[in-house]
């Protein structure tokens, strides 16, 4: 029981850190960059979530998905 609780707390801290950074237009801290295209699209993957950051002439957008569902999307 104790190990499961500690694991949940650690995962929550990791997720909330990256979520907050993405909402503020910063790169995620715990997610790993898995692809970067010449058009300005960068994909990061973390434990159970994926972040796609796109820089375009019209502005930047960040979309965060968890288990295939969009949980956050922001445009600057």
């Amino acid at each position: 029981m104790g190990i499961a609780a500690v694991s949940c707390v650690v995962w929550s801290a990791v997720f909330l850190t990256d979520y907050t950074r993405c909402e503020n237009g910063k790169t995620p801290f715990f997610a790993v960059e898995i692809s970067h295209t010449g058009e300005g699209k960068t994909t990061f993957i973390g434990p159970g979530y994926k972040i796609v950051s796109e820089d375009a002439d019209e502005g930047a957008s960040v979309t965060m998905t968890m288990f295939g569902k969009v949980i956050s999307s922001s445009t600057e």
Side-chain angles (χ1 to χ4, degrees):
M1 176 74 177
I3 293 174
V6 169
S7 296
C8 286
V9 169
V10 169
W11 182 85
S12 296
V14 166
F15 172 76
L16 288 174
T17 299
D18 281 349
Y19 177 83
T20 304
R21 289 182 61 84
C22 289
E23 284 290 312
N24 292 322
K26 298 178 181 176
T27 58
F29 188 76
F30 294 104
V32 176
E33 183 178 324
I34 59 170
S35 71
H36 181 77
T37 64
E39 294 88 36
K41 183 176 179 177
T42 307
T43 304
F44 300 89
I45 192 154
Y49 57 92
K50 182 168 95 172
I51 302 159
V52 178
S53 174
E54 296 184 62
D55 293 325
D57 294 335
E58 306 87 43
S61 69
V62 177
T63 303
M64 191 170 194
T65 59
M66 178 185 288
F67 307 118
K69 306 271 187 200
V70 174
I71 56 169
S72 174
S73 183
S74 63
T75 305
E76 295 177 0

